[in-house]
Each structure stands twice: as structure tokens, then as C-alpha cells.
Amino acid sequence: DLAALRENSFHSARDYEGYTHRDILGTTIQAERTGSSMRLSTITGFLKWKTEDSTDLDYSPLPIVTRTNAEEDFQFTQEVRVASVVPVKLSDAATLRWQSGIFLFTQNYQQDAVNTFSPYVFSQFIEFPVNQYSPVSQLDDFGLGVFGQGTVTLKEKLDLVAGMRVDYEDKNADLKTFFDPAIAPPTVVATEDSFSHVSPQFAVAYRFRPEYNVYATVGNGFKAGGFNPASPAGNEGYGEETTWNLEGGLKTLLANGRVALNSAVFFIDWNDMQLNVPNLTVPGQIYIANVGGASSKGVEFDLTARAAPGLDLYGTFGYTNATFSAGSTSVGLDVSGNEIPNTPDYTASVGIQYGRSLNTSMSAYGRVDVAFTGAFRYDDANLEGQDAYSLTNFRGGVRAKLFFAEGW
């Protein structure tokens, strides 16, 4: 309740302390072998986490509703990639660089959450506590992707890039929502769905000189659909999301390489955008839904300069206009033309860093940067938001061969 929090800033109320216990274990294993013409690399990763938490859900001094939540998840990923080490000569004026690979993942997720309502909350006739199990769920996912990309270089100036990725994902869901005592019928969903997509990408880059590079790219993006552990009846599943992405820009090196200046323009067109929306039937709960189309367009600039030995200056600026397309709806409301949540209209930063050697094995450094974030909205209805703000960061320290110490 942002209105109540803003009326009495920095204060919130609970009648129940609660707790959070979380365990996370994860690792990534990388291996690589390079031959005279090809490089084989593999990345194996897994992540296992579980969390148990209990909290006041009404955030008031009254004992209205509390929530106990237990979640557990295990993710495994494996990627194998083969790429050229040196360009393959196609002719006197053309060479080819390439890479291809396969990526797979599995995921097992379980959740058991209970909202406990005090007597008389649901009705003056329900004079006993009620437990709402929302949800008791299990999700099992499997995904496989195959990808490849090639870059043909003509006369060491023109790069022509073509790539493609093929994705397939299979998802199973076992979802239950019910009350104890049973004051309403339970909801039970056991279902399965699969998603597949072919995503092409094309790009072109031209080097007028080694220090001037202009490029353009167009690509198709894909995010599979899936199932919500908990959601209003009829919203258990959501569909896939796709995008078309266009970008063009200029990369330059000036002053004998001491100044780098880059600029870019971009446009993203979403279809069936997936968005987190509130579950109006269960307090404090969100779910994923397809809200319709959206677009984002903008420009970006960044500058890095070596002003003197050990002294670096840098700055960035980006402007974004991201809105929902006509006909987009969220939780039954028309959001056409509204801003996409959590998308600042601009971001910028400026900074300076200085470092110098103290001796042959030790150096000292200091850094100051200021980051600016424009205003943005919290929700798709654009009813609540955050004003523009800035953050100033200071950092300094000493580095040696075997240790470093710094403050910030």
C-alpha cells in the first residue's frame, strides 16, 4: 500500500515478526580445448535453492492474515559450443568465421504456500481461522536449443553476419489451490504444453578505417510460455512472447585511440508480452500473463577518454520510449499507450577514475561516478511510480599481486 507508506514515510506496521531461511548452492564448470582450426568449449552449471519464510501479509497492527511459504528449485544447464579459431579463407577477398552449438536445461520447482486468515475476515459467519493453500504446485521444465552463426568478411572491411537458433521447451504443471476448512471448491490443474521457435539474426558492419565502424542488425527473439504456480482460475498458463529487434550504430576511436565514442539507435517490437501482474483474489501474490503488444525505441551514447596517464573520464546517456501497443489489456484493463513498468525514460552516468603505481608490485586508485535514473512507473496501469533520482558512488583502494583493499 504505497499511499499509506508515503503518508507515513519509512514506517510500516506488523503484528507478527516472521522469518526467512534461504539456502543456495550453485556452481559452473567450464572446459575448453583449442586445436589448429577449431575450439571446443563446454559450460556445465547447476543451481539448487530452497527458501522458507513466514510474514505478516496485511502489514497492519491487526492480526488479519499471515503467509507461510516454502519453495525448492533445482536447475541444470549444459552448453557445448564449437567455433573457428582462425578465419577460413573463401577467396582472396573473403574469409569466414563461424560458431555453432547446443544448449539444454532442466528445472524442477516446487512450492507450498499457505495464507492464514483470522476469524471473521472472510465473513461474519466464519468464526474460525481459515487456511488458503495458494499454491501447492510442482513445475517440471525441459528445454533444448541449437544455434549457429557465420560471419563473412569481404576485403577486411565489410562483415556480413547470419545466424539462427532453434528452441524447443516442454513444460509440465501440477497445480492445486484449496481452503482448509473447505469453504469453497478446490482448484486442481494437471497439464502439459510445449513451445518451439526459430529465431533468425542478420547483421552488417563496415569499417571505413580501423577506428571507424558502422553497423546494423535485425533479429528475432523468443521467450517460451509456461505455467504459473498460482494464479486466478483460468490464468494458470501463459503463451510465448516474441520480439523483433533492430539496432544500428557507430563505433569510433579518436585521438590515437585515447578517446572512444559510440552511439546507437534501437527499436524493439513485442508480441504477446509476458508481464508480472497482481492476483486480485490473493493478497501479495503476482502471476505472469500475456498483456498484448508493446514497443521500445531510443538512443544510447557512451564516451571513454584517457585524459592523462592514469586518468580516465567516462560518460553514458540513454533515452527510451517504451509503451504498450493499442489493444493491450492487463487484469481486464486497457493499458494501451501506457508506459511499460520499470522502464526509465532516461539513464545517464558520468565518472572519473585515477590510478598510479606506488612501486613495481602495488598500485593505488580512486573512482567517483554519478548515475542518473529518470522517472518510471511501477505498474502497467501507470497509477504508481518513482520520480527521477541520482546515486553518487565513491571507491578507492590499493592493489598488489596477492591482495587488494578498498573502501566505498
Side-chain angles (χ1 to χ4, degrees):
D1 186 348
L2 293 180
L5 288 173
R6 286 171 171 164
E7 184 178 350
N8 188 18
S9 298
F10 308 108
H11 293 77
S12 63
R14 302 189 194 189
D15 68 295
Y16 173 70
E17 182 178 2
Y19 58 85
T20 297
H21 304 307
R22 179 166 295 175
D23 296 308
I24 303 174
L25 175 64
T27 190
T28 301
I29 303 168
Q30 300 185 34
E32 183 176 294
R33 181 173 179 83
T34 302
S36 58
S37 60
M38 293 190 301
R39 177 184 295 111
L40 172 66
S41 58
T42 67
I43 302 176
T44 305
F46 71 83
L47 176 65
K48 180 178 177 61
W49 61 267
K50 66 178 181 178
T51 180
E52 296 179 4
D53 55 83
S54 186
T55 184
D56 188 324
L57 205 56
D58 55 88
Y59 284 86
S60 76
L62 301 176
I64 299 175
V65 56
T66 60
R67 180 175 176 86
T68 301
N69 177 64
E71 296 176 77
E72 189 168 347
D73 186 74
F74 180 78
Q75 304 167 17
F76 171 79
T77 61
Q78 177 65 62
E79 179 177 287
V80 179
R81 180 177 301 196
V82 181
S84 58
V85 175
V86 295
V88 179
K89 186 175 181 180
L90 302 178
S91 68
D92 292 339
T95 59
L96 170 67
R97 290 177 287 120
W98 59 271
Q99 65 172 344
S100 63
I102 186 171
F103 174 84
L104 67 88
F105 76 90
T106 62
Q107 178 171 240
N108 174 262
Y109 171 82
Q110 300 178 50
Q111 183 179 15
D112 190 351
V114 185
N115 296 336
T116 300
F117 293 85
S118 297
Y120 305 109
V121 171
F122 276 109
S123 167
Q124 60 179 333
F125 303 107
I126 301 180
E127 56 186 15
F128 45 83
V130 175
N131 291 323
Q132 180 188 37
Y133 288 79
S134 178
V136 176
S137 62
Q138 179 168 327
L139 303 176
D140 294 297
D141 303 339
F142 169 80
L144 178 67
V146 179
F147 57 90
Q149 179 175 297
T151 301
V152 175
T153 301
L154 303 176
K155 296 184 178 181
E156 299 183 350
K157 287 183 174 292
L158 179 64
D159 291 338
L160 302 175
V161 183
M164 182 175 293
R165 181 183 176 104
V166 180
D167 285 289
Y168 171 81
E169 295 191 24
D170 183 78
K171 303 195 174 188
N172 293 267
D174 187 1
L175 314 172
K176 301 181 181 69
T177 302
F178 56 92
F179 289 93
D180 181 24
I183 62 173
T187 301
V188 179
V189 176
T191 185
E192 176 184 5
D193 205 352
S194 61
F195 307 88
S196 60
H197 193 76
V198 177
S199 305
Q201 182 187 32
F202 304 97
V204 58
Y206 185 77
R207 290 173 289 280
F208 295 97
R209 293 204 300 260
E211 62 270 24
Y212 292 95
N213 179 15
V214 62
Y215 71 93
T217 179
V218 57
N220 184 239
F222 165 73
K223 185 187 291 184
F227 300 101
N228 292 296
S231 62
N235 294 272
E236 293 82 6
Y238 53 92
E240 63 187 42
E241 168 187 315
T242 59
T243 64
W244 278 103
N245 315 278
L246 292 87
E247 181 181 339
L250 175 67
K251 298 179 182 292
T252 61
L253 289 175
L254 307 172
N256 295 320
R258 291 188 293 111
V259 177
L261 175 62
N262 303 318
S263 60
V265 296
F266 66 89
F267 175 77
I268 306 172
D269 180 51
W270 277 277
N271 288 303
D272 299 319
M273 172 182 265
Q274 300 171 5
L275 197 69
N276 287 322
V277 297
N279 186 343
L280 302 180
T281 64
V282 181
Q285 191 177 90
I286 60 174
Y287 66 99
I288 299 175
N290 298 100
V291 297
S295 65
S296 177
K297 50 184 175 291
V299 296
E300 296 178 346
F301 303 93
D302 68 82
L303 171 69
T304 303
R306 173 59 58 92
L311 180 63
D312 293 320
L313 308 175
Y314 49 90
T316 66
F317 175 79
Y319 168 78
T320 301
N321 181 6
T323 58
F324 292 105
S325 304
S328 297
T329 60
S330 176
V331 200
L333 300 176
D334 184 7
V335 296
S336 303
N338 288 4
E339 296 179 16
I340 298 175
N342 302 311
T343 308
D345 48 8
Y346 72 87
T347 56
S349 66
V350 292
I352 181 172
Q353 178 171 298
Y354 180 72
R356 62 173 297 175
S357 298
L358 301 178
N359 53 46
T360 57
S361 61
M362 186 175 295
S363 62
Y365 58 92
R367 176 187 179 109
V368 181
D369 63 76
V370 185
F372 304 90
T373 300
F376 58 90
R377 313 307 299 177
Y378 289 143
D379 60 330
D380 44 11
N382 288 181
L383 299 177
E384 298 289 353
Q386 162 72 52
D387 293 335
Y389 66 93
S390 63
L391 296 173
T392 303
N393 305 291
F394 302 88
R395 183 179 296 269
V398 177
R399 287 187 178 273
K401 289 183 177 180
L402 300 179
F403 73 91
F404 76 92
E406 64 179 20
W408 69 93

